């Protein structure tokens, strides 16, 4: 009896203390709620965060809701999602009330429907994957880890259906649904919504200069997206979303080493100090490349032979690739600064020749031997705020880049080459008698930009709601300096022509405005957008483009259907337009004879069906597409022209399966090109009936490709992962430079004989030209292949040991790109790492 009385007294005392604590916490919550209602949002949020562990029951649910609303008021969608998820964990049956903002209600409903991942790239506002107007792939940090990818290119190829690696010899590149260029210039790559593609070449190579350790998720829009992002967003948009400082909460460091001289280091530091969120990152990577013997394998493929007995595959350059960045958030104000350097060494000489060369013999220009390099600095300052039901963001950007394209043509003399590419007689004489031939192009550019974006959310009765988005942007772009030189004899170069140097400089201005509507009526969504771009080029040529998009979406709790149309464009890169003029000047001709370039355009229709959680943990998507691309720019040795078109269709399948200790991500793509061509060789009309550049087939793109990525938490400390890539047979179609040189030489002889009245000799020369043109389009087959990557990580406390093996079976295979011969790919590479979190 006495023990029972003591226990009862203890329970009573505890209840009284708890009641007092509960009363105190109710007072804290009430004060925070009052502060929130009068606009003291940060103060209300911070008080709740400081006392969050002391809230219980309904009071904790209300506190989490108010914290989420506080972040939403500052347009911090990531944190809004985080605390909404915590709130729903407290009460899975919570339903938004009429007092909740429409955006918050959407987030709650999406999370409750099992769609916890939201993105902002597709419509410039937070929305679930089911609501985005075009098929979208979301790649999380965990998925990046499971893939074992070393750079952004490998991540995209592993998870994004329709994307495949394209080896253009001089650059790291990705094709989207069979459309690609010499460089990565048809896919827009962004960092937290800020363009990374430079403004002279439109490229942002997804290489080792983009750290993956800082990434929270990658959002990929599959299809044209100019209605929001204008030029460059021709075939896809890749938006890299960084972690927040609070997500890292300390220092993460990883060091790695592997074969072929690989050395890699990554560091990420993140913290939140009251209202200030800080994230700092850095990465560095270098290697010496894989030595590959070509003396016996390919010596008979070229009339010029293989001057050097081996090449280096995958070499990143003499200087390491690196990235250093800083992101600072304070009450809706965000500052971002990012510095990147990338360098790629071509294994072979340029174009379809693909000849080995002795890189060490070539002179340096500005401290660089033959390679492609890019030094880029990006700064962005933006501010987000809300007024009533409207969200606004204003920002200013500054970009400065130094780009070098230093290419080798051949170690040996090349008679007839200069004539085939339209060079002057002086250049022709030197190239025909001297080896060590190269081309060096270097330029420095700057861009200043200003952006304004806004959105207004509305509700009409019980069944209609939506948002209106709008924005405007202005950019001022300048090329301050440019060099264009032809090298010969390994150590020499033709004197730089001041006219050519001055011709390379220029200033361009462009502005745009966009408007989009997202309206939902019950389970139907209409998402439409229109953007107008106006650009004044360096020569006062004006570009005007309208980019529409419209999508109809039907939403159901476990499935959705989307039908969309969109049109995109990308203006011809500045460097291409200038290169055409410089080529004419190098030939001693009038610059007005240079080939002019117009924007490239793509029209796309897509129909997709997606299912969510039909089987516990299983999501899938089926998407069909039709693309019609016109005025595609093709490379013709040293010049460029709008000479290509591409019409194709295909089917994309995606599926993901998630269990507590096991994940699987699978994608499959079938692509069929039924109308395509390559280029206009500019030959006399008399030869039109003797050759064709029509392809009407996939070019360097497999008809079938598939990826499977598996992750398995084998034990508490050990996680294993594997990536299997399958690519079906591919065909490479490219212009055979040797055949073209023979044809050009024969045509010159024909014209000379005809002028001299030697009809018999002229007819022989003409037949020689015709015979050479029969093989001017080079066709090479690349067999199907399966590539297996394997890796794992063992974590013990703050230390993680990792090992990744790429191309585990050492499979030998080839790839090719635009106007590039087939290029052997890397064999077995491995990378071992040690990571620590402090």
């Amino acid at each position: 009896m006495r023990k029972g009385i003591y226990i009862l007294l203890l329970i009573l005392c505890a209840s009284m203390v708890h009641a007092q604590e509960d009363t105190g916490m109710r007072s804290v919550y009430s004060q925070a709620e009052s502060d929130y209602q009068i606009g003291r949002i940060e103060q209300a949020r911070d008080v709740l965060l400081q006392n969050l562990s002391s809230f219980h029951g309904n009071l904790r649910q209300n506190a989490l809701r108010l914290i989420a609303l506080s972040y939403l008021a500052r347009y911090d969608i990531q944190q809004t999602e985080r605390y909404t998820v915590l709130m729903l964990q407290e009460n899975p049956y919570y339903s938004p009330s009429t007092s909740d903002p429409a955006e918050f209600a959407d987030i709650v409903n999406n999370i409750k429907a099992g769609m916890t991942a939201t993105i902002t790239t597709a419509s410039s506002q937070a929305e679930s994957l089911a609501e985005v107007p075009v098929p979208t792939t979301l790649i999380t940090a965990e998925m990046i880890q499971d893939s074992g990818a070393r750079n952004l290119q490998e991540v995209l190829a592993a998870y994004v259906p329709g994307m495949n690696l394209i080896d253009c010899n001089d650059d790291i590149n990705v094709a989207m649904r069979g459309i690609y260029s010499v460089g990565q210039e048809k896919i827009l790559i962004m960092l937290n919504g800020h363009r990374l593609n430079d403004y002279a070449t439109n490229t942002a190579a997804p290489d080792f200069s983009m750290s993956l350790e800082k990434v929270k998720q990658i959002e990929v829009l599959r299809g044209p997206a100019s209605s929001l992002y204008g030029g460059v967003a021709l075939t896809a948009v890749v938006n890299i979303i960084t972690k927040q400082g609070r997500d890292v909460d300390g220092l993460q460091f990883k060091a790695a080493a592997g074969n072929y001289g690989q050395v890699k280091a990554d560091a990420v530091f993140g913290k939140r100090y009251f209202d200030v969120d800080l994230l700092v990152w850095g990465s560095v990577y270098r290697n010496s490349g894989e030595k590959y013997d070509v003396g016996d394998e390919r010596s008979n493929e070229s009339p010029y032979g293989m001057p050097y007995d081996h090449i280096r595959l995958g070499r990143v350059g003499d200087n390491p690739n690196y990235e250093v960045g800083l992101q600072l958030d304070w009450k809706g104000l965000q500052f971002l600064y990012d510095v990147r350097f990338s360098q790629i060494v071509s294994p072979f000489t340029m174009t379809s020749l693909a000849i080995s060369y002795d890189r060490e013999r070539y002179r340096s220009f500005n401290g660089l031997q033959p390679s492609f390099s890019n030094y880029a600095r990006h700064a962005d300052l933006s501010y987000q705020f809300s007024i009533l039901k409207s969200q606004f963001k204003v920002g200013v950007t500054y970009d400065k880049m130094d780009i070098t394209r230093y290419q080798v043509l051949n170690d040996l003399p090349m008679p007839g080459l200069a004539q085939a590419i339209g060079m002057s007689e002086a250049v022709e004489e030197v190239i025909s008698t001297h080896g060590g031939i190269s081309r060096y192009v270097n330029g420095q550019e700057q861009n200043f930009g200003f952006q304004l974006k806004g959105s207004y959310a509305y509700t009409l009765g019980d069944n209609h709601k939506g948002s209106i988005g709008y924005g405007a942007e202005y950019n001022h772009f300048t090329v301050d300096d440019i060099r264009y030189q032809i090298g010969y004899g390994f150590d020499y170069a033709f004197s730089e022509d001041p006219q050519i140097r001055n011709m390379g400089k220029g200033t361009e201005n462009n502005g745009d405005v966009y408007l989009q509507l997202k309206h939902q009526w019950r389970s139907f969504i209409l998402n439409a957008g229109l953007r107008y771009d106006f650009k004044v080029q360096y020569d006062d040529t004006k570009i005007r483009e309208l980019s529409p998009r419209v999508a109809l979406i039907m939403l159901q709790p476990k499935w959705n259907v989307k039908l969309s149309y969109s049109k995109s464009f990308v203006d011809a890169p500045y460097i291409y337009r200038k290169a055409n003029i410089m080529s004419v000047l190098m030939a001693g001709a009038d610059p007005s004879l240079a080939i002019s370039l117009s924007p490239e355009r793509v029209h796309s229709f897509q129909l997709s069906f997606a299912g969510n959680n039909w089987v516990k943990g299983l999501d899938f998507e089926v998407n069909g597409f039709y693309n019609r691309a016109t005025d595609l720019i093709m490379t013709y040795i040293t010049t460029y022209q709008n000479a290509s078109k591409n019409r194709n269709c295909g089917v994309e399948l995606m599926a993901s399966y998630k269990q507590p200790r096991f994940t699987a991500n699978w994608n499959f793509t079938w692509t069929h090109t039924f109308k395509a061509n390559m280029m206009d060789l500019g030959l006399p009309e008399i030869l039109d009936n003797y050759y064709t550049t029509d392809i009407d087939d996939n070019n360097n793109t497999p008809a079938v490709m598939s990826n499977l990525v598996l992750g398995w938490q084998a034990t508490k400390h050990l996680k294993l992962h594997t990536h299997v890539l399958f690519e079906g047979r591919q065909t490479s179609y490219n212009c055979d430079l040797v055949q073209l040189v023979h044809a050009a030489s024969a045509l010159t002889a024909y014209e000379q004989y005809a002028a001299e009245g030697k009809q018999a000799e002229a007819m022989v020369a003409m037949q020689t030209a015709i015979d050479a043109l029969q093989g001017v389009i080079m066709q090479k087959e690349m067999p199907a292949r399966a590539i297996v990557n394997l890796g794992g990580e063992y974590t013990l406390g703050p230390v993680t040991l990792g090992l990744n093996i790429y191309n585990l079976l050492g499979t030998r295979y080839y790839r090719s790109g635009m106007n590039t011969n087939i290029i052997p790919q890397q064999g077995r590479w491995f990378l071992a790492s040690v990571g620590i979190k402090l």
Side-chain angles (χ1 to χ4, degrees):
M1 176 68 73
R2 184 177 298 175
K3 290 182 179 179
I5 294 173
Y6 287 155
I7 292 172
L8 185 61
L9 289 173
L10 287 173
I11 293 174
L12 182 61
C13 291
S15 299
M16 294 176 63
V17 171
H18 178 75
Q20 291 176 354
E21 290 178 352
D22 190 56
T23 301
M25 296 315 299
R26 285 185 182 279
S27 177
V28 171
Y29 174 78
S30 297
Q31 182 60 48
E33 187 176 37
S34 177
D35 289 340
Y36 174 84
Q37 290 173 349
I38 63 175
R40 301 170 67 178
I41 295 173
E42 285 79 10
Q43 182 172 334
R45 180 196 63 205
D46 293 343
V47 168
L48 293 174
L49 287 171
Q50 291 168 9
N51 294 277
L52 188 57
S53 60
S54 301
F55 290 113
H56 302 282
N58 289 334
L59 201 58
R60 178 175 174 82
Q61 170 193 311
N62 294 337
L64 290 167
R65 171 184 170 276
L66 195 56
I67 292 171
L69 290 174
S70 299
Y71 279 116
L72 182 61
R74 293 294 177 257
Y75 210 63
D76 190 336
I77 302 302
Q78 295 175 356
Q79 291 303 310
T80 303
E81 286 180 342
R82 176 185 176 186
Y83 286 97
T84 303
V85 170
L86 293 175
M87 180 194 72
L88 290 173
Q89 289 175 352
E90 292 291 323
N91 179 13
Y93 302 102
Y94 175 86
S95 296
S97 65
T98 55
S99 62
D100 286 331
E103 299 93 333
F104 181 68
D106 288 342
I107 291 173
V108 171
N109 291 330
N110 291 336
I111 293 175
K112 288 177 67 177
M115 298 174 288
T116 57
T118 63
I119 67 170
T120 59
T121 307
S123 300
S124 199
Q125 59 181 303
E127 56 191 354
S128 71
L129 288 174
E131 294 178 278
V132 296
V134 295
T136 302
T137 300
L138 178 64
I139 306 170
T140 65
E142 182 181 8
M143 291 168 66
I144 294 174
Q145 182 183 28
D146 287 345
S147 72
R150 295 168 291 182
N151 54 44
L152 180 61
Q153 180 202 40
E154 293 179 355
V155 173
L156 298 176
Y159 287 111
V160 183
M163 281 193 180
N164 67 291
L165 304 185
I166 287 290
D167 191 325
C168 287
N169 192 33
D170 300 316
D171 212 347
I172 286 181
N173 200 0
V174 179
M176 182 64 184
R177 296 171 177 170
I179 298 176
Y180 58 92
S181 291
V182 174
Q184 182 280 313
E185 63 195 49
K186 292 178 170 54
I187 299 174
L188 175 63
I189 298 180
M190 303 188 294
L191 180 64
N192 291 337
H194 312 305
R195 170 177 169 158
L196 294 182
N197 299 64
D198 69 66
Y199 290 82
T201 67
N202 286 347
T203 62
D207 55 20
F208 292 98
S209 66
M210 296 185 184
S211 167
L212 297 177
E213 298 297 322
K214 68 177 185 296
V215 178
K216 176 183 178 181
Q217 64 187 43
I218 302 172
E219 303 170 1
V220 184
L221 307 185
R222 309 195 317 264
S226 286
S227 62
L228 269 180
Y229 299 107
V232 186
L234 189 74
T235 59
V237 174
V238 177
N239 192 10
I240 303 168
I241 308 298
T242 61
K243 299 172 182 175
Q244 294 287 307
R246 65 178 69 88
D247 298 327
V248 180
D249 194 28
L251 174 65
Q252 297 176 1
F253 177 78
K254 181 186 289 186
N259 57 347
Y260 305 121
Q262 291 183 94
V263 177
K264 192 174 189 293
D266 292 273
V268 181
F269 173 79
K271 274 289 185 181
R272 181 176 179 84
Y273 304 96
F274 301 102
D275 290 328
V276 178
D277 190 278
L278 173 67
L279 184 72
V280 181
W281 65 86
S283 69
V284 62
Y285 175 83
R286 72 168 304 163
N287 66 44
S288 57
E290 176 185 351
K291 186 177 179 180
Y292 184 86
D293 186 6
V294 296
D296 297 330
E297 176 187 345
R298 308 186 66 172
S299 59
N300 296 325
E301 290 190 8
S302 169
Y304 300 103
M306 289 288 159
Y308 209 51
D309 62 358
H310 70 270
I311 59 172
R312 293 279 178 175
L313 300 176
R315 186 173 179 181
V316 299
D318 305 308
N319 303 314
N321 287 207
Y322 66 83
E323 180 185 23
V324 177
L326 177 148
Q327 180 176 282
L328 192 65
D329 291 331
W330 178 68
K331 295 184 177 180
L333 187 68
Q334 183 181 84
F335 175 71
L336 174 69
Y337 183 72
D338 187 64
V339 180
R340 293 176 291 112
F341 175 79
S342 68
Q343 186 178 24
I344 298 295
V345 176
S346 305
F348 291 110
T349 61
M350 67 181 294
T351 71
S352 61
L353 289 173
I355 301 171
S356 63
Y357 65 103
D358 187 353
R359 180 172 179 265
E360 306 306 319
R361 295 183 63 184
Y362 287 82
R363 61 168 291 184
S364 296
F365 285 94
N366 289 338
L368 295 175
Q369 287 185 291
S371 60
F372 273 31
S373 68
N374 189 9
Y375 176 57
R377 284 160 285 181
H378 173 83
D380 183 280
L381 180 65
S382 62
Y383 180 61
Q384 298 179 4
F385 58 97
S386 60
I387 300 176
L388 299 176
K389 293 186 177 182
S390 296
Q391 303 284 343
F392 297 95
K393 180 178 180 180
V394 293
V396 292
T397 59
Y398 173 71
D399 295 273
K400 186 175 178 64
M401 300 182 183
D402 189 311
I403 304 165
T404 298
R405 300 289 185 263
Y406 185 1
Q407 300 169 300
V408 171
L409 275 71
N410 198 2
D411 284 2
L412 303 175
M414 300 182 69
L417 174 65
Q419 178 185 0
I421 62 180
M423 292 295 186
S424 64
E425 292 183 3
V427 175
E428 162 68 17
E429 181 179 354
V430 171
I431 290 180
S432 298
T433 56
H434 292 72
I437 309 165
S438 63
R439 180 177 71 158
Y440 173 79
V441 181
N442 171 258
Q444 294 84 42
E445 64 174 87
Q446 296 186 76
N447 187 82
F448 298 89
F450 172 79
Q451 302 88 32
L452 170 65
K453 296 182 179 180
S455 65
Y456 171 76
Y458 64 86
T459 302
L460 303 175
D462 296 331
N463 296 323
H464 295 271
K465 62 179 180 179
S467 63
I468 300 174
Y470 46 87
E473 183 175 1
Y474 168 77
N475 286 285
H476 176 76
F477 162 71
T478 302
V479 172
D480 301 313
D481 189 24
I482 196 164
R483 295 179 63 184
Y484 188 102
Q485 289 187 268
I486 300 296
Y488 65 95
F490 300 99
D491 295 318
Y492 307 99
F494 287 95
S495 299
E496 190 173 5
D497 188 336
Q499 183 184 8
I500 293 178
R501 185 162 191 165
N502 291 329
M503 180 63 69
K505 301 177 183 179
T507 297
E508 299 191 336
N509 295 277
N510 65 280
D512 65 78
V513 292
Y514 76 85
L515 179 68
Q516 67 171 18
L517 170 68
K518 178 183 177 182
H519 182 84
Q520 182 170 358
W521 174 67
R522 295 182 180 177
S523 59
F524 293 92
I525 295 178
L526 169 66
N527 193 315
L530 182 66
R531 171 166 163 152
Y532 174 73
D533 284 81
F534 178 76
K535 182 175 185 179
V536 181
Q537 297 181 341
Y538 62 85
D539 58 357
D540 289 331
T541 298
K542 295 177 176 59
I543 303 295
R544 298 177 176 86
E545 288 287 332
L546 276 175
S547 303
R549 181 198 73 228
V550 61
L552 295 174
I553 305 168
M554 182 178 181
L555 289 178
Q556 292 297 314
K558 287 196 172 185
W559 57 271
N560 64 80
V561 179
K562 303 174 187 176
L563 174 63
S564 66
Y565 162 77
S566 54
K567 177 234 174 185
S568 239
F569 83 100
V570 57
D571 189 24
Y574 177 93
I575 196 70
Y576 289 3
R577 290 180 269 130
K578 287 292 187 178
N580 284 353
I581 296 177
M582 291 177 183
S583 294
V584 172
L585 289 174
M586 290 290 290
D590 186 346
S592 63
L593 299 177
I595 300 172
S596 60
L597 296 175
S598 63
E600 303 168 88
R601 298 176 180 88
V602 171
H603 297 261
S604 181
F605 295 87
Q606 302 192 74
L607 175 63
S608 62
F609 178 88
N612 174 54
N613 213 31
W614 284 19
V615 175
K616 187 176 181 180
L618 176 65
D619 297 336
F620 68 91
E621 177 189 287
V622 181
N623 179 59
F625 66 86
Y626 166 77
N627 289 333
R628 181 168 63 88
T630 58
D631 296 321
L632 295 179
I633 295 175
M634 304 297 290
T635 307
Y636 176 57
I637 310 176
T638 59
T639 59
Y640 305 86
Q641 49 188 292
N642 293 103
S644 180
K645 58 180 178 289
N646 187 300
R647 295 186 183 181
N648 64 18
C649 62
V651 176
E652 300 166 343
L653 307 178
M654 292 178 59
S656 65
Y657 180 70
K658 297 181 181 179
Q659 291 297 319
R661 297 179 57 183
F662 176 78
T663 60
N665 286 274
W666 173 76
N667 63 69
F668 171 90
T669 306
W670 172 76
T671 305
H672 172 65
T673 301
F674 51 86
K675 192 66 176 178
N677 67 340
M678 288 189 61
M679 62 183 65
D680 179 6
L681 299 180
L683 298 176
E685 293 183 5
I686 192 175
L687 295 174
D688 284 348
N689 294 327
Y690 298 100
Y691 77 98
T692 178
T693 58
D694 291 337
I695 301 172
D696 300 341
D697 189 13
N698 293 351
N699 187 11
N700 295 312
T701 301
V704 173
M705 58 182 174
S706 181
N707 288 272
L708 176 64
V709 180
L710 304 175
W712 177 39
Q713 191 71 48
T715 69
K716 179 180 179 181
H717 302 289
L718 177 63
K719 184 173 185 180
L720 303 175
H721 56 80
T722 186
H723 170 211
V724 180
L725 161 68
F726 172 78
E727 292 183 325
R729 181 186 60 83
Q730 299 180 45
T731 303
S732 174
Y733 298 91
N734 278 300
C735 177
D736 190 328
L737 182 59
V738 175
Q739 293 293 101
L740 192 61
V741 168
H742 290 166
S745 299
L747 283 174
T748 300
Y750 165 78
E751 293 172 353
Q752 181 177 348
Y753 288 138
E756 296 173 355
K758 300 178 180 179
Q759 296 300 321
E761 291 86 346
M763 293 303 296
V764 171
M766 174 59 72
Q767 188 59 50
T768 301
I770 292 173
D771 293 341
L773 288 174
Q774 297 304 309
V776 74
I777 299 301
M778 179 174 56
Q779 178 178 343
K780 294 191 176 183
E781 300 296 326
M782 292 171 281
R785 61 266 189 159
I787 309 299
V788 180
N789 302 329
L790 188 67
E793 291 188 330
Y794 186 83
T795 303
L796 190 61
V799 178
T800 300
L801 304 177
L803 175 65
N804 285 296
I805 304 174
Y806 309 92
N807 195 355
L808 176 68
L809 304 179
T811 303
R812 283 298 175 188
Y813 62 103
Y814 296 85
R815 285 198 173 100
S816 180
M818 181 182 293
N819 207 18
T820 303
N821 208 321
I822 59 174
I823 307 297
Q825 298 301 296
Q826 300 170 24
R828 185 184 300 108
W829 289 49
F830 68 82
L831 199 62
S833 64
V834 178
I836 186 169
K837 182 174 182 179
L838 303 173

